[in-house]
Amino acid sequence: MTSGGYDPDKDPQNPGGYPPPQGGYPPPPQGNYPPPQQGGYPPPGNYPPPPSFNEAQMPTQLSVGSAIGYGWEKFKQNALVWIGIVLIAAIIQGVLNFVLTSDNFVLSLIFSVIVGVVALLIQAALVRGALHEVDGIKPAFGSFFQFNNVFAIVIAGILVGIATGIGYILLVIPGLVVTFFTWWTFQFVIDRGDEPIPAIKASAKAIASNGGTIFVLALALFGLNIVGAILLGIGLLVTIPITIIAGTYAYRVTVGGRVA
């Protein structure tokens, strides 16, 4: 017992012997608390598993072998759809070229524009499918046409076509240069929503950043399509998808995007 009448031995809340605060100790809070988790953290809940290396790879360096190998693997996993879409595209182009013919200059010009626009949209559809592949999504037939910026696609294609045509008139070599540096124009328009001229500039800048490797890849894919054409053209049903996917893979690796 202290001189103030306080006995610390009788107060279980004060084992140190200090006098209680004025008004006494507050009562403990009321309520039902969840029992502690066995093993500690994380708290309960459904959390998605972290992506594995194969599901969300982030390649930092482009190689010709990895691009072609990637294109081949993705094609194998969805071969029927890719062969089907390329075959349908070839049939559409063939029918239009056969039907839309005329000796009248004005009609012939109009028909040429129609055929050209359809060709651009087919090319864009193949790029859209390849972008699905690098995103880890197996495209179905409808997935190839999941793009809204049709006007930008057509204008970008026309601008590239005009520049390429002028280049080929100037002793061919400039045309080849334009073709090479505008290779990823549709990727930038469809994947990133760029307007036509910024997409062309972005394509040239990205390709110039690793020009040597990308040039060798372009030559390898060109040779692959020559082999496909030699096999009575049937081989193109395989080589065209591989080329589109490999080129889109190279685009995504070069600009630093996700590859699945």
Side-chain angles (χ1 to χ4, degrees):
M1 182 79 68
T2 64
S3 60
Y6 175 70
D7 187 354
D9 296 333
K10 294 183 180 180
D11 189 351
Q13 297 188 55
N14 188 18
Y18 299 98
Q22 190 171 6
Y25 292 102
Q30 301 295 317
N32 296 323
Y33 294 91
Q37 292 295 311
Q38 187 126 17
Y41 292 94
N46 295 322
Y47 296 91
S52 65
F53 179 76
N54 289 330
E55 292 173 336
Q57 301 180 48
M58 295 292 290
T60 58
Q61 189 171 5
L62 175 66
S63 71
V64 174
S66 65
I68 296 177
Y70 182 91
W72 169 242
E73 288 299 324
K74 288 295 185 178
F75 168 76
K76 284 196 306 180
Q77 295 169 16
N78 203 18
L80 289 179
V81 170
W82 275 102
I83 290 173
I85 199 72
V86 172
L87 189 59
I88 290 171
I91 292 172
I92 290 174
Q93 284 289 103
V95 170
L96 289 178
N97 286 326
F98 179 77
V99 172
L100 299 181
T101 57
S102 175
D103 294 331
N104 183 282
F105 175 77
V106 176
L107 283 179
S108 177
L109 184 61
I110 293 173
F111 291 159
S112 296
V113 170
I114 293 173
V115 171
V117 169
V118 170
L120 292 175
L121 295 179
I122 288 174
Q123 183 181 350
L126 295 176
V127 170
R128 174 71 272 181
L131 286 168
H132 279 309
E133 293 284 7
V134 298
D135 284 334
I137 302 169
K138 282 186 178 181
F141 285 107
S143 305
F144 285 83
F145 301 95
Q146 290 178 339
F147 47 80
N148 299 319
N149 45 354
V150 174
F151 180 76
I153 290 170
V154 172
I155 296 301
I158 290 174
L159 291 177
V160 169
I162 291 172
T164 304
I166 293 173
Y168 280 116
I169 291 173
L170 300 175
L171 302 178
V172 180
I173 299 298
L176 294 175
V177 172
V178 172
T179 300
F180 176 62
F181 282 102
T182 59
W183 184 9
W184 294 339
T185 299
F186 277 0
Q187 277 83 351
F188 278 99
V189 172
I190 298 170
D191 189 36
R192 301 204 167 190
D194 287 0
E195 293 299 318
I197 292 179
I200 293 171
K201 291 180 178 179
S203 174
K205 183 177 180 180
I207 290 173
S209 69
N210 193 12
T213 301
I214 297 171
F215 180 70
V216 175
L217 174 62
L219 288 179
L221 295 177
F222 179 72
L224 190 65
N225 282 316
I226 289 178
V227 173
I230 291 174
L231 299 174
L232 302 178
I234 298 175
L236 291 173
L237 296 175
V238 175
T239 61
I240 288 176
I242 293 174
T243 298
I244 298 290
I245 298 171
T248 302
Y249 168 91
Y251 149 79
R252 189 63 73 78
V253 172
T254 301
V255 300
R258 177 180 178 274
V259 176

